Amino acid sequence: QKSMARLVQAPPKFHPSEWDIANKMQCASTEAQKSRSQRTTTESRRLLDEIEKTTQKTRSDVNKKIEQRQEEIKFWKQELDNKLEQIVHETEVLLTFKTRLEKSLESCKEPLIIAQKCLLNRQRRAGIDLVHDEVEQELVKEAEVLQGVIALLGRTLEQTNEQIRLNRSAKYNLEMDLKDKFTALMIDDYCATLTNNTPDISYAHNTVKIEGNFVSPEDWIDFSNINVEKADKQRNNSLALRVLIDGILSQTANDMRRQCEMVNIAFRNRVKEVKDAKHKLETLLAMVMNETASQEKNIAALKKAIADKEGPLKVAQTRLEARNHRPNVELCYDTVQYRLISEVQEITKNTQRQVEIMKGGKICGVEAETELKGLSRRQLSLEEEIQVKENTLYIDEVLCMQMRESVYINNF
């Protein structure tokens, strides 16, 4: 019972000083807590400020780097654009040179055919006129010059086609590089426009990694530099080739023109020579014809003279025959008889001489009929030779020279 009473007895009373102390301690504890809290808040604010500033500084730095990168890409894009424009222009010009080469090559075919036809036609010259003359030599040389030119132009054309291919290859590399630069610039332009308020920004995981397919900035510059240098090299080669083509076209045209003129001069000289020879032969023929006519007259005169001697001979022989019938002592060998006998002998002898002159029995080396035969042979020989010259003139002047009038060596 007693202990129960002790349990429910009133709690002990505190001393006022204790009360004061308790209050003070509450105050102090709260103050300390508040102070700690404020320090934390201040520290947090400072940290937030610092991080915000750093974030903004970094953002600004990244923006600046993006801007620098855009400028760098633009610079190389401009470089590549310039080179592309140059190589495209150079290729267009080289294509016109290719056309010039093709036209020049085409224009060589006709003169070569004509030179070969001339050589072939001149095989048909006859007899002594089938001579390996200057015309022949120059024609052979002309065919060689033309074949040489055709071979040279053919090789140059192949070289030109190869250079056009190399130019186009350099152009393709520039275009591919430009295409990639254009895409990169578009991406960086897009990146430059992004802000915190852009609607389509989002988290993208696994982006912070540098894998094997990333290229170093040096390699990036080298790549475009190589494309530019290749384009420059091909452009310079192309320029040099054009100078070469110009030289070749002008040189070959000059060579062909000079040789063509040499052939034409040789033809003109030869035709003049043949005409002169033909003229001489015709003069000789006229002489032979005159001589033949005069020889024929001579033979006619001889025949007439022989015929004319028949009368006198008959008279003399009839007289002798009659006088042989004189009687007895009258058959006298008088001067008449003597003269008649000598007359018969004289007429017979002279007639004999005339016959021999006519028939060609040698008397003082004169033989009319033989001479006439000789003249006839000369006439035939001269006529044949004139025919040969006419044939040559027809071949050279009509066939060859007229055909060559169409040959014109152009400068392409």
Side-chain angles (χ1 to χ4, degrees):
Q1 195 68 28
K2 240 184 196 176
S3 59
M4 264 316 268
R6 202 180 292 125
L7 276 171
V8 291
Q9 71 189 51
K13 296 271 197 297
F14 287 103
H15 193 273
S17 66
E18 284 179 317
W19 184 85
D20 276 343
I21 286 167
N23 269 344
K24 277 181 181 150
M25 277 182 73
Q26 284 292 354
C27 268
S29 181
T30 302
E31 280 295 331
Q33 185 63 54
K34 179 186 164 197
S35 173
R36 276 203 306 281
S37 174
Q38 279 180 334
R39 265 207 314 282
T40 304
T41 304
T42 307
E43 182 59 32
S44 293
R45 277 211 192 107
R46 195 187 62 71
L47 189 64
L48 284 174
D49 268 6
E50 194 183 303
I51 288 171
E52 180 60 24
K53 273 187 187 142
T54 302
T55 304
Q56 281 182 354
K57 188 171 180 296
T58 302
R59 164 70 59 79
S60 150
D61 193 34
V62 167
N63 284 350
K64 199 159 187 221
K65 291 272 187 286
I66 288 178
E67 200 183 312
Q68 283 172 349
R69 185 63 180 160
Q70 286 170 310
E71 287 310 309
E72 211 175 343
I73 296 176
K74 278 179 192 163
F75 167 78
W76 278 104
K77 214 169 141 296
Q78 189 56 53
E79 280 288 291
L80 293 164
D81 260 331
N82 290 346
K83 292 299 162 199
L84 181 62
E85 197 184 324
Q86 286 176 354
I87 199 84
V88 165
H89 173 70
E90 178 54 39
T91 307
E92 279 169 5
V93 179
L94 189 55
L95 280 164
T96 64
F97 275 69
K98 179 189 169 178
T99 308
R100 286 170 61 195
L101 275 172
E102 285 169 339
K103 282 184 178 167
S104 184
L105 195 53
E106 190 54 41
S107 78
C108 291
K109 289 178 185 169
E110 189 60 24
L112 180 59
I113 290 170
I114 286 175
Q116 287 166 339
K117 274 187 185 166
C118 285
L119 283 165
L120 211 59
N121 281 335
R122 297 185 95 246
Q123 294 295 326
R124 305 212 307 269
R125 288 171 300 165
I128 192 67
D129 273 26
L130 191 58
V131 61
H132 187 68
D133 53 12
E134 201 185 337
V135 177
E136 194 88 358
Q137 290 162 24
E138 295 295 348
L139 275 170
V140 168
K141 195 170 159 196
E142 182 174 53
E144 282 168 5
V145 166
L146 286 161
Q147 280 159 341
V149 168
I150 287 169
L152 176 61
L153 292 178
R155 286 198 301 275
T156 313
L157 190 57
E158 277 171 29
Q159 212 178 328
T160 307
N161 283 330
E162 177 59 12
Q163 189 56 54
I164 288 168
R165 190 190 67 74
L166 290 168
N167 285 5
R168 284 177 174 156
S169 163
K171 168 179 174 265
Y172 174 78
N173 290 338
L174 290 173
E175 284 170 340
M176 289 299 104
D177 197 350
L178 267 169
K179 193 174 147 203
D180 292 349
K181 294 268 184 292
F182 181 74
T183 308
L185 193 57
M186 268 175 55
I187 290 170
D188 279 350
D189 282 350
Y190 162 74
C191 289
T193 63
L194 292 181
T195 66
N196 298 340
N197 305 324
T198 308
D200 58 355
I201 57 173
S202 63
Y203 286 111
H205 301 290
N206 299 328
T207 54
V208 183
K209 54 179 191 250
I210 294 187
E211 289 176 351
N213 57 355
F214 270 88
V215 170
S216 76
E218 294 77 27
D219 285 351
W220 179 81
I221 287 177
D222 276 350
F223 182 77
S224 292
N225 225 342
I226 286 168
N227 283 336
V228 164
E229 279 171 5
K230 272 186 186 165
D232 259 342
K233 183 184 166 201
Q234 294 313 332
R235 184 167 151 266
N236 289 334
N237 288 352
S238 190
L239 281 165
L241 180 60
R242 285 202 282 121
V243 173
L244 180 75
I245 292 170
D246 250 342
I248 285 175
L249 285 174
S250 125
Q251 187 57 51
T252 51
N254 285 344
D255 289 351
M256 291 189 292
R257 209 175 282 125
R258 195 181 310 115
Q259 188 51 37
C260 180
E261 194 42 43
M262 292 294 282
V263 173
N264 292 346
I265 289 169
F267 261 119
R268 288 198 287 271
N269 292 344
R270 188 62 181 152
V271 164
K272 188 180 178 303
E273 274 180 343
V274 175
K275 279 184 174 167
D276 287 349
K278 179 171 167 272
H279 184 64
K280 276 197 186 118
L281 291 169
E282 284 165 345
T283 308
L284 289 172
L285 181 63
M287 211 162 75
V288 167
M289 302 297 271
N290 276 341
E291 199 46 51
T292 301
S294 105
Q295 192 57 262
E296 279 169 348
K297 257 189 211 155
N298 176 38
I299 288 170
L302 284 168
K303 281 181 179 166
K304 184 177 181 298
I306 290 165
D308 286 353
K309 294 300 167 286
E310 283 175 11
L313 185 59
K314 282 177 186 169
V315 168
Q317 285 182 348
T318 305
R319 283 176 173 169
L320 276 172
E321 174 58 30
R323 295 193 85 223
N324 281 344
H325 295 290
R326 287 173 299 168
N328 305 319
V329 78
E330 294 306 318
L331 192 64
C332 174
Y333 192 76
D334 54 9
T335 52
V336 175
Q337 192 71 6
Y338 172 79
R339 199 72 189 89
L340 275 172
I341 288 170
S342 76
E343 184 184 17
V344 169
Q345 283 171 341
E346 191 180 286
I347 291 172
T348 308
K349 191 179 162 197
N350 283 341
T351 304
Q352 194 62 43
R353 274 172 68 196
Q354 284 171 337
V355 168
E356 277 174 351
I357 286 174
M358 201 172 75
K359 293 294 183 202
K362 288 214 173 188
I363 297 174
C364 346
V366 178
E367 27 192 293
E369 295 268 6
T370 312
E371 286 309 316
L372 194 59
K373 275 185 194 144
L375 286 168
S376 171
R377 278 198 300 273
R378 286 304 316 130
Q379 178 186 339
L380 205 62
S381 168
L382 287 168
E383 281 170 348
E384 277 173 10
E385 205 48 47
I386 288 167
Q387 196 59 51
V388 165
K389 300 286 178 273
E390 273 170 3
N391 174 55
T392 301
L393 284 173
Y394 174 72
I395 288 169
D396 280 357
E397 202 173 15
V398 180
L399 295 184
C400 295
M401 285 175 83
Q402 280 185 17
M403 185 163 50
R404 292 184 65 80
E405 278 171 21
S406 68
V407 175
Y408 181 69
I409 312 292
N410 255 318
N411 270 41
F412 288 100

